[in-house]
Amino acid sequence: AHFEIEWSKEDDSNLLIGIYEYGYGSWEMIKMDPDLSLTQKILPDDPDKKPQAKQLQTRADYLIKLLSKDLARKEAQRLSGSGNSKRRKTRSKKNKISKCIKLEEEIKQEIGRA
């Protein structure tokens, strides 16, 4: 963010929380909430200093766009089954052969009992 004050990721998070709690565009309400720690950062008394409402709206739009893209990417990964999910190990031929022999022995035992 190109504001005339120091702005951090935490400030971005608090801005989004404020939008969630008070509504998009409720900059005065967000500024007055002491839990958001934005009182001294947004809507400075000097109208020439940033961030004013226009810059907050632009920043909020950008952050929401980033979140939407990230959510869409995660959803696409989930639907395609890729991503960080663990994949099954492929069986070696040895395991397949030993399983076949074991199954063959079990079948012979069943036939012997019948």
Side-chain angles (χ1 to χ4, degrees):
H2 301 288
F3 300 151
E4 294 169 358
I5 46 98
E6 198 169 311
W7 193 264
S8 67
K9 288 181 182 181
E10 187 178 339
D11 296 324
D12 280 338
S13 295
N14 287 336
L15 181 62
L16 290 171
I17 291 167
I19 291 169
Y20 177 78
E21 289 182 357
Y22 299 106
Y24 185 87
S26 301
W27 312 124
E28 284 291 339
M29 298 281 290
I30 294 169
K31 177 179 179 164
M32 301 315 289
D33 187 330
D35 294 335
L36 298 176
S37 304
L38 295 174
T39 305
Q40 301 300 318
K41 294 198 169 198
I42 64 173
L43 305 176
D45 293 332
D46 182 349
D48 294 330
K49 293 210 178 208
K50 298 175 185 175
Q52 295 293 337
K54 185 177 180 3
Q55 290 82 24
L56 293 172
Q57 182 175 335
T58 302
R59 186 67 181 171
D61 290 344
Y62 171 73
L63 294 171
I64 291 167
K65 182 179 170 184
L66 284 181
L67 289 171
S68 295
K69 280 185 178 180
D70 190 51
L71 185 63
R73 181 186 54 80
K74 286 179 181 173
E75 182 67 10
Q77 281 181 343
R78 186 185 69 78
L79 292 174
S80 71
S82 66
N84 295 335
S85 62
K86 293 184 177 182
R87 295 180 184 249
R88 269 180 56 185
K89 291 182 180 177
T90 55
R91 293 185 189 164
S92 67
K93 286 187 177 183
K94 183 180 175 184
N95 285 344
K96 287 181 183 177
I97 293 170
S98 63
K99 197 168 188 176
C100 287
I101 292 170
K102 198 174 186 180
L103 186 60
E104 205 173 275
E105 288 172 0
E106 287 177 13
I107 292 171
K108 285 179 184 175
Q109 285 177 357
E110 286 295 321
I111 292 173
R113 287 185 197 156

